[in-house]
């Protein structure tokens, strides 16, 4: 019996022409790999507005069709807040973006990116691929966060620059004591699990605390390495059962893709081990230390590949470093919706907690929002923005940094003097709540021009719905404060 003929790049070409010749060859190679390795299913995933992975799983035999035609997806997935509630009036003719645009719970497309294909080490029969979100006819849409980052990166490149960034993730891993899977626990959102500690806290970077977490760290590290994620270090952080992973520098898109895969891998691997991993900034548990997402950034000359943040002297800034820092500071408050997108994240902005609470920069100062790590001759010269929370949508977070820093370059903005005492300075405070950040974002004239007015209005609507639900929920604080007093 003759062997079935191999699929060629030409077999995958469609009249929509959404892949380059190189991408078509990658897609054909993936089909060969799937067949040779006995991969049974492919998870086609896209990062939604919150940076959460959604998608469909197809059998391996359907992958060629997904490359040719994309995969249909319900449009309401783009219209949900963090409780998974649809917050736009989809049964009306116009939800705010033009007649019949994302209405009627109709379909959109997700388009697999063959460069992102992985085989999942914790589910070896499963392939995985990230997708871009498109309209049903294959055209680009303003609500795809991955596309928004690509465009920010491309616009920076037009002026001859590229950003390299490295990320540090803090997160918690707890033992699962009660998953609360009773019928009454289902909801939007569902009942959170009950957990206990894997290790005690407050012994920052001690070997004993790392050893208590080593089995978990090893499983996560090995998975990262199998997924070709450039993990650099693993640490026992200050809080009880708190971990930190750091990654080598990479391009913005690669780093954002790494982030969504890493967070998803951590949660899935831990769940399979009877653990609960959370990237929530400040869980409501005893003795918790807030978690951050720190982003290291350097600017590269595309022609020479030189790091443009290396200063001439220890007391000076390079011109590009000054521009970039000034841009980040100028747009910091209106960027908070993108760097710190949850109600909970603003409870991290506390003084004397190794977290920023004001808009300022300092030289190797971990209390400042922007930490300068630049020295003459140091090829690793960079800044670290400590503003982010671990739940941030990485595509929007990184895009906010590119757009802000690039604006500093274009306008030749100059950084102020570095701060020495970050928690007693007279610098402007960061927004203290999600609604304060929303008000700054809504008043912004910068982001509608830089990211597009439709994307800004879309993000604002979703986050206002989230804030409104939070505001109308009676809190434990209110119950304790008023129930007996009045």
């Amino acid at each position: 019996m003759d062997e079935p003929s191999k699929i060629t790049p030409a077999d995958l070409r469609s009249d929509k022409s959404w892949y380059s010749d190189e991408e078509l060859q990658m897609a054909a190679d993936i089909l060969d790999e799937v067949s040779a390795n006995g991969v049974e299913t492919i998870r086609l995933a896209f990062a939604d507005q919150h940076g959460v992975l959604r998608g469909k799983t197809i059998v391996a035999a359907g992958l060629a069709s997904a490359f040719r035609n994309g995969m249909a997806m319900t449009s309401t997935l783009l219209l949900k807040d963090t409780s998974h509630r649809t917050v736009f009036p989809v049964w009306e003719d116009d939800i705010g973006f033009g007649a019949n645009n994302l209405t009627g719970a109709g379909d959109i497309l997700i388009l697999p990116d063959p460069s992102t294909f992985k085989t999942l080490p914790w589910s070896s029969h499963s392939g995985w691929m990230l997708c871009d979100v498109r309209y049903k006819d294959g055209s680009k849409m303003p609500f795809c966060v991955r596309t928004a980052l690509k465009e920010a990166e491309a616009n920076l490149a037009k002026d001859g620059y590229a950003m390299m960034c490295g990320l540090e993730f803090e997160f918690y891993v707890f033992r699962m004591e009660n998953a609360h899977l009773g019928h009454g626990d289902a909801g939007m959102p569902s009942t959170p699990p009950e957990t206990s500690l894997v290790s005690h806290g407050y012994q920052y970077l001690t070997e004993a605390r790392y050893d208590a977490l080593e089995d978990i760290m090893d499983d996560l590290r090995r998975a990262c390495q199998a997924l070709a994620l450039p993990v650099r270090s693993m640490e026992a952080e200050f809080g009880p059962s708190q971990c930190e992973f750091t990654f080598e520098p990479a391009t913005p898109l690669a780093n954002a893709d790494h982030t969504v895969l890493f967070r998803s891998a951590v949660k899935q691997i831990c769940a399979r081990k009877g653990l609960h991993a959370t990237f929530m900034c400040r869980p409501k548990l005893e003795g918790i230390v807030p978690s951050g997402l720190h982003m290291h950034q350097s600017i590269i000359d595309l022609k020479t590949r030189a790091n443009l943040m290396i200063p001439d002297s220890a007391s000076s800034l390079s011109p590009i470093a000054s521009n970039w820092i000034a841009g980040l500071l100028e747009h910091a408050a209106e960027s908070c919706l993108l760097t710190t997108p949850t109600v909970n994240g603003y409870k991290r902005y506390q003084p004397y907690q190794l977290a920023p609470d004001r808009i300022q920069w300092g030289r190797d100062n971990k209390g400042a929002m922007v930490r300068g790590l630049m020295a003459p001759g140091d090829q690793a010269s960079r800044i670290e923005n400590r503003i982010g929370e671990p739940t941030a949508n990485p595509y929007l977070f990184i895009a906010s940094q590119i757009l802000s820093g690039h604006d500093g370059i274009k306008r030749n903005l100059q950084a102020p003097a570095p701060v020495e005492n970050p928690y007693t300075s007279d610098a402007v405070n960061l927004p203290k709540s999600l609604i304060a950040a929303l008000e700054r974002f809504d008043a912004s004239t910068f982001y509608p021009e830089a990211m597009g007015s439709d994307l800004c209005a879309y993000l604002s609507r979703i986050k206002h719905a989230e804030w409104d639900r939070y505001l109308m929920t009676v809190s434990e604080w209110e119950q304790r404060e008023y129930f007996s007093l009045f």
Side-chain angles (χ1 to χ4, degrees):
M1 182 180 293
D2 293 336
E3 291 186 6
S5 58
K6 285 188 175 182
I7 290 180
T8 68
D11 296 325
L12 299 175
R13 196 181 302 277
S14 74
D15 57 1
K16 299 180 178 65
S17 300
W18 43 41
Y19 290 124
S20 67
D21 290 342
E22 181 183 5
E23 289 169 329
L24 287 170
Q25 183 60 61
M26 280 192 284
D29 292 343
I30 288 168
L31 290 167
D32 288 342
E33 182 180 344
V34 164
S35 177
N37 295 337
V39 175
E40 299 172 18
T41 58
I42 315 293
R43 301 184 191 182
L44 300 180
F46 73 95
D48 75 358
Q49 52 278 16
H50 308 291
V52 173
L53 290 180
R54 299 181 184 266
K56 291 184 179 180
T57 299
I58 61 173
V59 297
L63 183 55
S65 175
F67 281 129
R68 279 192 293 265
N69 305 307
M71 174 62 63
M73 198 68 51
T74 307
S75 60
T76 54
L77 294 176
L78 297 178
L79 306 177
K80 296 181 182 296
D81 68 4
T82 48
S83 73
H84 303 277
R85 299 170 190 264
T86 300
V87 299
F88 287 83
V90 296
W91 306 117
E92 297 181 8
D93 294 335
D94 188 340
I95 66 171
F97 307 110
N100 303 316
N101 189 358
L102 302 184
T103 59
D107 282 344
I108 53 174
L109 282 183
I110 58 172
L111 181 64
D113 181 343
S115 70
T116 65
F117 179 79
K118 312 280 186 184
T119 300
L120 299 180
W122 64 91
S123 180
S124 58
H125 70 282
S126 298
W128 179 93
M129 232 179 317
L130 264 176
C131 302
D132 290 318
V133 184
R134 303 282 187 99
Y135 284 120
K136 192 161 63 171
D137 64 2
S139 61
K140 292 183 179 180
M141 64 158 56
F143 314 113
C144 176
V145 294
R146 197 164 184 258
T147 298
L149 176 55
K150 289 180 183 180
E151 291 176 349
E153 200 171 358
N155 286 332
L156 183 63
K158 287 178 183 177
D159 286 345
Y161 306 110
M163 184 175 87
M164 295 294 289
C165 54
L167 298 177
E168 300 177 2
F169 296 88
E170 295 168 351
F171 58 98
Y172 280 92
V173 178
F174 302 113
R175 297 193 193 281
M176 180 73 77
E177 300 295 342
N178 184 351
H180 285 299
L181 293 174
H183 292 293
D185 294 313
M188 301 174 72
S190 57
T191 304
E194 293 177 28
T195 59
S196 61
L197 298 177
V198 176
S199 72
H200 292 107
Y202 318 124
Q203 296 182 21
Y204 179 48
L205 293 185
T206 58
E207 187 172 324
R209 288 292 174 259
Y210 180 84
D211 192 67
L213 292 162
E214 186 173 45
D215 285 349
I216 298 167
M217 296 283 203
D218 282 347
D219 283 347
L220 298 180
R221 171 186 53 80
R222 289 172 184 141
C224 287
Q225 291 170 328
L227 292 166
L229 301 182
V231 64
R232 182 173 178 269
S233 68
M234 301 77 59
E235 302 171 10
E237 256 294 340
F238 191 69
S241 286
Q242 190 178 32
C243 306
E244 180 177 28
F245 269 55
T246 71
F247 291 84
E248 297 288 355
T251 64
L253 183 64
N255 246 316
D257 290 348
H258 294 163
T259 296
V260 292
L261 180 54
F262 172 69
R263 291 193 305 211
S264 189
V266 168
K267 291 186 73 67
Q268 291 179 51
I269 291 167
C270 286
R272 287 175 179 237
K273 292 171 65 70
L275 303 167
H276 178 72
T278 181
F279 290 84
M280 179 181 178
C281 181
R282 192 170 185 168
K284 190 179 181 299
L285 298 167
E286 290 293 328
I288 286 296
V289 177
S291 295
L293 171 55
H294 305 154
M295 189 189 303
H296 295 255
Q297 308 170 33
S298 59
I299 306 304
I300 307 300
D301 185 304
L302 278 176
K303 289 182 179 178
T304 66
R305 305 308 299 178
N307 183 348
L308 299 176
M309 287 190 155
I310 302 174
D312 291 332
S313 69
S315 61
S316 67
L317 290 174
S318 73
I320 289 296
S322 181
N323 297 157
W324 197 265
I325 291 170
L328 295 182
L329 299 180
E330 171 144 326
H331 298 298
E334 60 196 320
S335 297
C336 273
L337 188 70
L338 310 179
T339 67
T340 312
T342 71
V343 169
N344 183 256
Y346 292 86
K347 295 175 171 63
R348 172 174 166 262
Y349 292 166
Q350 303 287 336
Y352 309 106
Q353 299 291 317
L354 290 176
D357 70 339
R358 300 157 213 226
I359 301 171
Q360 55 195 345
W361 83 279
R363 296 187 185 279
D364 198 7
N365 193 317
K366 292 182 180 178
M369 187 190 92
V370 174
R371 176 186 175 211
L373 296 165
M374 296 162 286
D378 182 3
Q379 296 301 315
S381 289
R382 65 200 186 278
I383 62 98
E384 175 193 18
N385 197 340
R386 300 172 62 82
I387 196 172
E389 66 163 313
T391 68
N393 183 322
Y395 300 96
L396 297 176
F397 182 13
I398 299 175
S400 76
Q401 303 301 281
I402 295 174
L403 295 171
S404 297
H406 192 191
D407 188 55
I409 293 174
K410 289 187 288 188
R411 294 167 54 201
N412 195 28
L413 300 179
Q414 300 300 306
V419 68
E420 298 293 338
N421 301 299
Y423 298 124
T424 58
S425 77
D426 59 359
V428 175
N429 285 328
L430 287 163
K432 294 185 179 296
S433 65
L434 179 61
I435 189 59
L438 265 167
E439 289 168 351
R440 293 301 299 265
F441 186 77
D442 289 344
S444 173
T445 57
F446 170 68
Y447 273 113
E449 182 176 343
M451 292 178 64
S453 57
D454 279 351
L455 178 57
C456 290
Y458 161 79
L459 295 171
S460 176
R461 173 70 176 263
I462 289 170
K463 285 298 170 181
H464 271 288
E466 191 174 324
W467 175 258
D468 288 345
R469 279 194 306 107
Y470 166 75
L471 201 61
M472 296 310 296
T473 302
V474 177
S475 67
E476 188 176 309
W477 184 93
E478 293 168 89
Q479 187 75 358
R480 285 199 309 269
E481 190 81 3
Y482 305 128
F483 193 54
S484 296
L485 177 63
F486 292 111

